[in-house]
Amino acid sequence: MSLLLAIGLSAALPAIRTYDLPAGDGQHVALHCIEPEGPVRHAALFVHGASFPTMLAAGFEFAPGDSWMAFMARRGFISCGLDFLGFGASSRPPAMAGAANAATPVTRAPEAARQIALAMQELRGKRHLDVHLIAHSWGTIPAAEYAAEHPGTLASLTLFGPVVPTGAADKPDTTAWWSITAQERYRQLLFEQVLPKDLRLIEPAVTQRWAAAFDASVPKLRGDAPDALRIPSGPGADIAEAQGGRYPYDAASIAAPVFVVYGDYDTVVNDAQAADFLHRFSASPLAWRLRIDHGTHVLHLERYRRSLYRSVAAFIDAAEEAKP
């Protein structure tokens, strides 16, 4: 039996197509999309977190045709993932090429929300599709900001591992960018200081291929330390403010269905914090909260990732059934 059949992927999907969406000042954001084989149901738009782009997150293939984006495409969605400016296949703003202390943090949430609007214009404006927005970690901040600023445009909003108030925020970074090696970031994905010693959750494909793919996704600049990858600092600044209770949006103004989902070993959000956070979305007509056992903040790259896929799909089904 082929690997595809063994994991329930009975038919190949069309290749990922990347659209370059003009973002002003000669910049572009990359929108990676997979078309379903049959009739198009709606659109699913994924946005990534603070340090790595779509094709290392929802678009990462654990085997040919096995990714979260592909899962949604098999359910009849045009399944797309957006790279924010400074990440993946999108442009690097000029400040990313200069000294880190020569500019303010690159890609803050308000700017990222405008980039989400570009993707929404492509999917909703040009293709006339209902769009279900699925955001991870820092990406939940610009995603919710987009929802607040554009009422009535989202079919649903999933906030996976959202950044919640903790009462003890880190000091925000004021530099344009920060750096890390791909191997260092991979080691962080293991959450070895969090998980029991006998529990390893990361998928083998991530161990085998993720770090090399991450390294290849970031341009190298002369003068940088060996293997150093420049990452926009804007997300880190947003995270520090959100953990201190300051968001660039009013959650009570968001009227889309909202789903807060996270793993039991998530270090960014826990049960009590998630419940308080979801309570802020008081205008939402449908509010779900779910903790998935055996999952960290990068559950989408781990052994029980299909529980996440199926839970989000079930929420989207419920949101569509509840639509007036």
Side-chain angles (χ1 to χ4, degrees):
M1 179 182 292
S2 72
L3 177 60
L4 287 177
L5 289 175
I7 59 177
L9 308 180
S10 59
L13 287 164
I16 293 175
R17 181 175 178 181
T18 299
Y19 301 85
D20 289 336
L21 308 181
D25 298 325
Q27 303 282 296
H28 73 271
V29 292
L31 184 67
H32 310 278
C33 295
I34 306 175
E35 301 272 351
E37 284 195 310
V40 174
R41 179 177 168 186
H42 294 300
L45 174 60
F46 292 88
V47 296
H48 61 76
S51 58
F52 51 89
T54 287
M55 301 314 294
L56 277 297
F60 183 77
E61 287 196 319
F62 301 88
D66 179 16
S67 70
W68 194 357
M69 283 175 55
F71 175 88
M72 292 304 294
R74 285 190 169 83
R75 294 181 65 85
F77 291 83
I78 291 180
S79 186
C80 299
L82 177 69
D83 285 342
F84 291 110
L85 284 178
F87 294 91
S90 291
S91 298
R92 263 61 185 176
M96 294 290 294
N101 62 1
T104 56
V106 170
T107 309
R108 294 296 303 266
E111 181 184 1
R114 292 191 289 272
Q115 294 162 31
I116 291 173
L118 296 175
M120 290 292 295
Q121 175 59 27
E122 180 70 25
L123 297 171
R124 190 172 186 271
K126 293 183 180 179
R127 301 200 189 192
H128 309 292
L129 296 166
D130 289 345
V131 181
H132 296 273
L133 184 55
I134 305 166
H136 176 231
S137 191
W138 162 76
T140 63
I141 301 173
E145 182 171 359
Y146 171 85
E149 293 177 350
H150 299 82
T153 62
L154 284 182
S156 74
L157 176 62
T158 292
L159 305 175
F160 158 44
V163 182
V164 300
T166 63
D170 293 334
K171 184 178 179 181
D173 195 344
T174 58
T175 61
W177 52 268
W178 60 285
S179 66
I180 193 170
T181 71
Q183 281 295 334
E184 286 171 340
R185 187 65 186 95
Y186 162 72
R187 286 194 292 271
Q188 292 174 355
L189 302 181
L190 303 179
F191 285 94
E192 290 178 329
Q193 304 305 312
V194 175
L195 296 175
K197 292 187 181 300
D198 60 346
L199 182 61
R200 184 180 176 89
L201 294 177
I202 206 74
E203 283 272 34
V206 176
T207 298
Q208 295 160 7
R209 295 185 282 105
W210 191 93
F214 186 30
D215 186 75
S217 77
V218 181
K220 310 301 187 298
L221 296 179
R222 182 177 297 179
D224 281 352
D227 304 322
L229 308 179
R230 295 189 177 194
I231 311 297
S233 288
D238 292 329
I239 289 170
E241 291 191 354
Q243 289 179 331
R246 299 181 301 279
Y247 291 86
Y249 64 87
D250 176 14
S253 70
I254 296 174
V258 175
F259 183 27
V260 171
V261 59
Y262 52 98
D264 59 339
Y265 289 105
D266 199 315
T267 54
V268 174
V269 56
N270 61 32
D271 287 337
Q273 293 165 341
D276 289 344
F277 180 69
L278 184 58
H279 187 70
R280 293 171 174 239
F281 295 83
S282 55
S284 175
L286 182 68
W288 280 22
R289 176 171 60 93
L290 178 67
R291 183 194 69 207
I292 297 176
D293 285 354
H294 306 303
T296 74
H297 193 60
V298 293
L299 175 58
H300 56 330
L301 299 177
E302 295 175 341
R303 188 189 313 169
Y304 299 102
R305 58 192 169 87
R306 291 187 185 85
S307 293
L308 174 65
Y309 299 178
R310 294 186 179 108
S311 298
V312 174
F315 166 70
I316 287 173
D317 288 345
E320 292 188 350
E321 290 174 3
K323 188 167 56 177

